[in-house]
Amino acid sequence: MKKGLLFSCLLVAVTSVQAAPISIPYQGFYQRLKQVNTGNYPLIEIAFSVPNKSQCLVKGGTISTENESFPLTITKDQRVFLPYDARLKSDRALVNLDIEGSAENCSIAMQVRAKNTKQSYSQKEMLELQAEMDTMLSDMQGFPMRYFSQNIAGINFEFEPGSKTLVRIDGKEQVVTDKLRLSREQIDKLSVIEFNIKPLVVSPWTNG
């Protein structure tokens, strides 16, 4: 699995290799957002993004209905921020992405991750994150995506690509590049973990 728990699926059939907008029904996104917004998940969220930036560059995007169109916020890492809005679902809104490159290389990825990241975590905080991730993924069984019935294997801490991050676990220091993975067993044994810089992403680690 790339980047911890990262689910990718082609949400729209694309055959053209010319640069052109891609339109995806908002309903599928809404169903996933509803799962999070109606559940008890204060610590975690779902992030949508367009991976493979070198071959599928997103220049911009909108969400539109028959009568309205609104711009989307898209980060330099191509994370796409979508509203949770039942009216957009009932109005059969479309998510429109203006891409540069071969459209056949474009897909939408969905990742479960912590809403916020910190420079230190106590064991209690990591166990709370882990429990919410377990519950969310269990609740999502049945969606047409690649999910896992077993609990996650642990937690991923992701950093700027190519960076070297100083990590201190109960006073013992180590340097990691790009990513640190902690298994459930490791989390059960530690008291606190500290970083010299906040992780970019904190996500589930699975063995799938």
Side-chain angles (χ1 to χ4, degrees):
M1 274 255 164
K2 295 181 180 180
K3 298 185 71 174
L5 191 62
L6 183 63
F7 307 114
S8 295
C9 67
L10 216 49
L11 296 182
V12 61
V14 184
T15 57
S16 171
V17 296
Q18 303 297 319
I22 297 175
S23 294
I24 309 164
Y26 170 72
Q27 181 177 355
F29 297 105
Y30 174 83
Q31 291 174 345
R32 289 152 181 79
L33 291 168
K34 182 179 180 181
Q35 194 81 31
V36 179
N37 281 271
T38 59
N40 182 26
Y41 303 114
L43 302 176
I44 60 176
E45 64 182 355
I46 287 177
F48 300 102
S49 64
V50 180
N52 200 13
K53 185 176 180 179
S54 63
Q55 297 185 52
C56 183
L57 179 64
V58 180
K59 299 165 62 178
T62 61
I63 185 165
S64 63
T65 65
E66 186 175 345
N67 301 312
E68 299 176 295
S69 180
F70 309 96
L72 290 174
T73 297
I74 303 173
T75 69
K76 66 178 181 179
D77 296 323
Q78 300 200 157
R79 178 176 176 181
V80 181
F81 286 87
L82 296 173
Y84 172 59
D85 191 328
R87 182 180 63 84
L88 289 172
K89 173 181 173 291
S90 63
D91 288 347
R92 298 182 179 180
L94 294 174
V95 175
N96 310 294
L97 300 177
D98 185 15
I99 64 99
E100 183 177 288
S102 177
E104 64 187 5
N105 294 321
C106 295
S107 62
I108 299 292
M110 187 182 80
Q111 186 182 44
V112 174
R113 58 169 70 179
K115 288 182 180 178
N116 301 294
T117 66
K118 303 167 49 177
Q119 278 189 249
S120 67
Y121 290 86
S122 67
Q123 183 195 62
K124 179 176 182 292
E125 289 172 323
M126 284 188 287
L127 290 174
E128 288 171 347
L129 273 173
Q130 185 175 265
E132 282 197 21
M133 291 170 178
D134 282 338
T135 302
M136 179 184 287
L137 294 175
S138 177
D139 288 347
M140 284 183 174
Q141 295 297 320
F143 281 124
M145 304 279 280
R146 189 182 179 190
Y147 293 113
F148 301 87
S149 58
Q150 69 270 26
N151 288 337
I152 64 173
I155 294 178
N156 290 318
F157 298 88
E158 301 175 35
F159 306 94
E160 191 71 35
S163 64
K164 294 186 182 298
T165 303
L166 179 65
V167 182
R168 183 180 295 109
I169 300 178
D170 294 340
K172 185 176 181 180
E173 294 184 349
Q174 60 179 299
V175 175
V176 300
T177 302
D178 297 353
K179 179 186 292 183
L180 171 70
R181 284 180 164 177
L182 290 180
S183 67
R184 299 178 80 97
E185 292 77 14
Q186 289 173 303
I187 293 171
D188 287 341
K189 293 177 181 177
L190 61 79
S191 296
V192 64
I193 184 169
E194 301 167 290
F195 309 98
N196 67 329
I197 188 170
K198 289 198 306 182
L200 295 177
V201 176
V202 178
S203 63
W205 168 27
T206 77
N207 289 321

